Amino acid sequence: MGSSSDKKRKSAEDTTSKTKKTKSDSEKSSKSPKFINVGAVKRPQNAPPVVAATSGLALSSSIQFQAYATPADKTSKRKKNGAPAQELLLHSANHRTMDYTAREDRTGDSSDPYLKHYIGIFNPKTAEVEIVEARKTVLRGTVRSQKAVDEAMEEKNQKQQMMAMRNELGEAFGTKKAKKAIRDVTENAITTQKVGQSELVMMDAIKTATKDMSTKEDLQAAVDNARPVPRGNFEARDIADVYVPAQIIGSEVLNAIPVMDWQESVKNLEDIQVPSRFVAKRVSNVASSDDAVHRLRVLRYLLFVIIFWNATSQGRERGTRSIGKRDKLREVMAPAPEIVIENIRRKFSDGGVMRKTHVDLLMTHCCAFAAIIDGFRVNTIDLREDLKLEQKQLNQYFIEIGARVKQQKVADKMENFAVLQLPLLFPKIRLPARKR
């Protein structure tokens, strides 16, 4: 057995803390009552408490109300459901623009005549709850009409009188032109009334609701961004910098397009057989021009796109086109490299199907490439035959890329020319006409 000296003794701090905890617990238990007494229900006839339903109003706590009551009729008896004969009304005009009125809600008497409202008031000293019957009211808010200042009204009346006198003099001694102008002003006059406070509140609400609404410029920008056109620099100052082939096609794809065979054929004065009237008529001139390699690559990419379009067929869904398999595309688009075929296939189709957006994108690309090849002034007849389009359709595609379409007489025949120049003119969104 250990000696008594080995036993641990509790420190003085532990005993004092335990004493403090015991005291605090006893104090809490002495303050909080164990039992609460509920007194009798009180039904005050004068100045009863009020339960108000705000019904959507954000009421400030600083608003003060004046209480009013209808005088009690001595001959009238209390209703069967116990409702008082007097009707309570609360009114406040403390707000600078609003008047608040609270009336008793007696619409529910017929549906539930025994429904009443009570307020419990707890007294912590006596541990009693006092139950007081309350009046149920509904709070409404109305906009206070702002009265016009008398001086402003007098000044307005004086101006109207002066205008009326001047119009009478004009009708009596004026010329025919002056009389007609007075009659037009009178017929089209809009009587300007002073805007009331209710109209101002309504205008503020409309302004708040429409502050985030898109403007016409925002809608036009959204339409321009969603338009199926080639990628372009529409802030450029030179027309040649708007549609850049390296950015539209991609530098890697553009450099992979072979043009050596065309250069050799043009150099040897040999004919180049291609399934495109537009390309066949221009390949010789392009091959002998400045920067011939770059322009020949753009021209041959345009040829590949035209062949790709003519190889499509009617799709299963209405308004769609179905593209051929990869083996068929390699055959009809030879000698196009694989990277060029996949570039065209992915750009203008999705899952082997061309929808309207893909078709429009392909057509606008062809229009942009044609404008680049022809120096931004294109005779559209050859491209129309290659793409098998109506003249109206092709003109619309040129308009989509910002070009202007004009008619010009060539050899006793009117032909359409698409001119691409700055500033570009894109189609504007059309707002519905107002009904008269």
Side-chain angles (χ1 to χ4, degrees):
M1 292 180 60
S3 61
S4 59
S5 60
D6 296 335
K7 294 183 179 179
K8 293 183 179 180
R9 295 180 181 180
K10 293 184 179 180
S11 62
E13 295 179 358
D14 295 339
T15 56
T16 54
S17 61
K18 183 176 180 181
T19 307
K20 289 181 181 179
K21 288 182 180 180
T22 308
K23 288 182 179 180
S24 60
D25 293 341
S26 60
E27 289 176 359
K28 288 182 181 179
S29 61
S30 62
K31 288 183 180 180
S32 58
K34 295 182 179 180
F35 301 97
I36 297 175
N37 298 323
V38 180
V41 178
K42 294 184 179 181
R43 293 182 175 85
Q45 298 297 325
N46 297 322
V50 175
V51 177
T54 57
S55 63
L57 292 176
L59 190 65
S60 175
S61 59
S62 62
I63 300 296
Q64 297 180 357
F65 287 88
Q66 296 290 333
Y68 302 91
T70 57
D73 190 359
K74 295 181 180 180
T75 59
S76 64
K77 298 181 180 180
R78 293 173 66 89
K79 295 184 179 180
K80 294 181 180 180
N81 59 354
Q86 288 185 340
E87 182 179 359
L88 183 65
L89 183 141
L90 302 178
H91 180 74
S92 175
N94 294 113
H95 198 271
R96 62 183 183 88
T97 58
M98 299 287 291
D99 285 342
Y100 295 102
T101 304
R103 296 179 182 273
E104 285 194 67
D105 183 16
R106 299 192 176 187
T107 58
D109 292 346
S110 58
S111 60
D112 194 354
Y114 300 103
L115 177 62
K116 296 182 181 180
H117 296 78
Y118 298 91
I119 293 177
I121 304 173
F122 175 67
N123 189 348
K125 294 182 178 180
T126 61
E128 292 182 354
V129 177
E130 185 179 1
I131 306 298
V132 184
E133 185 177 350
R135 300 281 188 91
K136 171 67 181 303
T137 60
V138 177
L139 184 66
R140 306 290 183 188
T142 55
V143 181
R144 189 185 310 117
S145 300
Q146 186 175 2
K147 297 181 180 180
V149 184
D150 294 339
E151 297 180 357
M153 293 297 295
E154 291 178 0
E155 184 179 354
K156 181 179 179 181
N157 293 333
Q158 291 179 1
K159 290 182 179 180
Q160 291 179 350
Q161 291 177 1
M162 292 293 294
M163 181 66 70
M165 293 172 61
R166 192 170 69 177
N167 289 343
E168 290 178 0
L169 289 174
E171 287 286 351
F173 305 104
T175 61
K176 291 182 179 181
K177 187 175 181 180
K179 292 179 180 180
K180 184 178 182 300
I182 293 172
R183 285 194 296 270
D184 293 341
V185 171
T186 305
E187 291 175 358
N188 300 325
I190 300 176
T191 305
T192 57
Q193 300 178 353
K194 187 174 181 63
V195 179
Q197 194 67 26
S198 58
E199 287 83 1
L200 289 175
V201 173
M202 185 183 297
M203 291 169 62
D204 291 339
I206 294 173
K207 185 177 179 180
T208 303
T210 58
K211 65 179 182 179
D212 296 330
M213 188 177 293
S214 299
T215 61
K216 186 178 179 180
E217 291 75 14
D218 296 336
L219 294 175
Q220 184 63 49
V223 171
D224 293 341
N225 293 332
R227 183 177 290 115
V229 296
R231 182 190 303 175
N233 179 19
F234 302 113
E235 303 296 331
R237 297 184 179 181
D238 189 0
I239 190 61
D241 298 332
V242 177
Y243 296 111
V244 181
Q247 296 178 359
I248 300 173
I249 303 171
S251 300
E252 184 179 359
V253 178
L254 187 63
N255 294 331
I257 298 175
V259 293
M260 186 67 70
D261 54 340
W262 279 9
Q263 289 179 312
E264 293 293 333
S265 298
V266 172
K267 185 177 180 181
N268 298 330
L269 302 178
E270 297 176 357
D271 293 335
I272 300 176
Q273 300 295 328
V274 291
S276 168
R277 292 181 55 180
F278 183 90
V279 176
K281 289 184 177 181
R282 291 161 176 79
V283 61
S284 298
N285 294 332
V286 172
S288 59
S289 65
D290 296 336
D291 197 10
V293 175
H294 177 74
R295 297 188 65 199
L296 280 175
R297 285 173 175 166
V298 176
L299 184 63
R300 197 155 201 177
Y301 186 88
L302 173 60
L303 175 64
F304 292 148
V305 173
I306 294 174
I307 295 174
F308 175 84
W309 166 249
N310 291 329
T312 60
S313 58
Q314 185 67 34
R316 294 182 179 179
E317 298 180 10
R318 185 179 179 182
T320 62
R321 305 285 297 180
S322 178
I323 66 173
K325 296 182 179 180
R326 285 184 172 85
D327 295 339
K328 184 179 178 181
L329 290 178
R330 293 189 188 99
E331 181 181 351
V332 297
M333 296 176 65
E338 188 69 21
I339 187 175
V340 177
I341 297 175
E342 285 300 315
N343 175 269
I344 297 174
R345 185 175 177 276
R346 293 177 181 176
K347 187 186 293 290
F348 303 118
S349 68
D350 184 13
V353 179
M354 293 183 66
R355 305 190 182 277
K356 187 180 185 304
T357 306
H358 300 114
V359 174
D360 294 341
L361 188 63
L362 183 143
M363 297 301 173
T364 53
H365 272 71
C366 291
C367 293
F369 295 144
I372 294 171
I373 295 300
D374 279 4
F376 307 104
R377 189 175 185 274
V378 187
N379 188 338
T380 62
I381 185 171
D382 295 329
L383 191 62
R384 184 192 68 190
E385 295 295 331
D386 291 341
L387 298 176
K388 299 179 176 60
L389 296 175
E390 297 292 335
Q391 186 63 53
K392 184 178 180 180
Q393 293 177 304
L394 186 59
N395 291 347
Q396 185 61 38
Y397 284 125
F398 272 106
I399 293 172
E400 289 291 333
I401 66 172
R404 300 167 175 84
V405 179
K406 303 177 182 179
Q407 285 189 337
Q408 184 176 345
K409 194 172 184 180
V410 178
D412 298 334
K413 185 179 179 181
M414 297 300 295
E415 295 185 359
N416 292 269
F417 287 83
V419 181
L420 200 64
Q421 63 184 20
L422 295 178
L424 301 179
L425 294 180
F426 294 101
K428 301 295 182 182
I429 56 174
R430 296 182 181 179
L431 298 177
R434 295 182 179 177
K435 295 182 179 179
R436 295 184 178 179

